[in-house]
Amino acid sequence: MPSPKRSIHVVAGVITDVRGRILLNRRTENSDMAGLWEFPGGKREPGETSEEALVRELREELGIEAEVGEWLMDVPQVYPDKHLRLEVRHIRSWKGSPRGREGQAITWVTPDKLSRYSMPPADLPVVAALRHPDRYLITPEPAGEQDHPHWLQRLGAALDAGVRRVHLRTLDSPDRVALAEAAIRAHGKRAHWLLNRDIALAERLGVGVHLGSEQLLQLQARPLPADQLVAASCHDLAQLQAAQRLGCDFAVLGPVQATASHPGATPLGWEAFETLRAQVSLPLYALGGLGPADIAESRRHGAQGIAAIRGLWPTA
């Protein structure tokens, strides 16, 4: 019988300078995953708090005395030899000049270029949390053509409230193409737009596509180029792994809690969500009975935020 995997709690810092650049460490040749870039930090030792561990690690690795800032997220990740929990904290103030005291290369990177650096699986969701929205609106379907003006008005109100990523779910509307075009024309660059399942229309409009779970196993390759987002709805590990193989930019996983839109679905709960999250490196939104007040909870379990219909759609 194989021995149980060890559990490790690692604390990492997102160190940001006055220009908004983020510091990355390169793993040395004698370490696991040598050559990959990561957010600096290290293992929390017995008896240490997370803050104490991160201060010590940054002193040893970079020669700085850091002031540990606010918590960003936790990422559970399963590796072949261990169960890792990566706790991530912001670092915006420190004393000293960062340098690679253990022989490692370091570099300062603007947030928009983080994805160019090869990183360990646990660091990838952190990049998504730093670069992309923490909420993903799934639009309800309009109540007929007469509801289109009101629907567009409420979409604008959602954007005014801070939504910056939108799944245009208008599958059953007879005028769904016209409605999608009207939404994108009216609000343009205010959000990342993804169309529901329609790859051809997304390609024509130059926007993203949100794949249904049934499409994941049918596709052999990513259906859109890198500059057009590809997302997927997932409910189990096989679908998450398929989304990752296709090169999806993110996935939605749920339902976490009971939801009116899927009354027959058995909720995963946060523990099962985290177990699935730990087995892929794909950025995830938690879905199912959630709203903005649940974003912090979702990040405690490795999500970059929440996806919702009712929780993000204005009621008037």
Side-chain angles (χ1 to χ4, degrees), residues 132 215 245 266:
H132 298 300
Q215 291 176 287
R245 283 195 302 270
T266 302

Side-chain angles (χ1 to χ4, degrees), residues 163-316:
V163 167
R164 291 294 176 266
R165 182 168 279 179
V166 180
H167 174 185
L168 290 170
R169 187 174 174 268
T170 57
L171 187 64
D172 294 335
S173 172
D175 300 315
R176 64 184 182 85
V177 175
L179 188 58
E181 290 177 330
I184 296 167
R185 185 169 58 250
H187 300 292
K189 296 182 179 180
R190 296 184 68 192
H192 306 155
W193 304 100
L194 294 94
L195 301 185
N196 190 67
R197 291 182 168 86
D198 196 331
I199 298 168
L201 181 59
E203 190 170 22
R204 179 166 71 81
L205 296 180
V207 297
V209 67
H210 186 108
L211 302 172
S213 56
E214 77 286 351
Q215 291 176 287
L216 288 171
L217 301 179
Q218 299 168 1
L219 292 167
Q220 300 301 313
R222 180 185 170 96
L224 293 175
D227 60 348
Q228 290 175 254
L229 290 171
V230 176
S233 292
C234 297
H235 309 287
D236 57 33
L237 181 58
Q239 292 168 3
L240 286 171
Q241 291 172 332
Q244 186 160 284
R245 283 195 302 270
L246 283 178
C248 289
D249 297 288
F250 64 92
V252 170
L253 176 62
V256 175
Q257 299 176 358
T259 174
S261 58
H262 296 85
T266 302
L268 287 172
W270 284 117
E271 184 176 349
F273 177 95
E274 180 172 313
T275 297
L276 291 170
R277 194 289 74 80
Q279 297 176 76
V280 294
S281 59
L282 193 65
L284 299 180
Y285 288 100
L287 172 73
L290 306 175
D294 299 296
I295 291 171
E297 183 68 18
S298 77
R299 288 192 167 189
R300 275 189 279 274
H301 300 280
Q304 72 178 76
I306 61 99
I309 301 175
R310 290 167 182 82
L312 296 173
W313 188 251
T315 56

Side-chain angles (χ1 to χ4, degrees), residues 12-17 54 58 64 66-70 89-94:
V14 176
I15 304 174
T16 308
D17 69 7
L54 188 52
L58 297 183
I64 62 174
E67 181 178 324
V68 178
E70 69 272 24
R89 304 289 292 266
H90 283 286
I91 305 288
R92 295 187 175 90
S93 179
W94 65 88

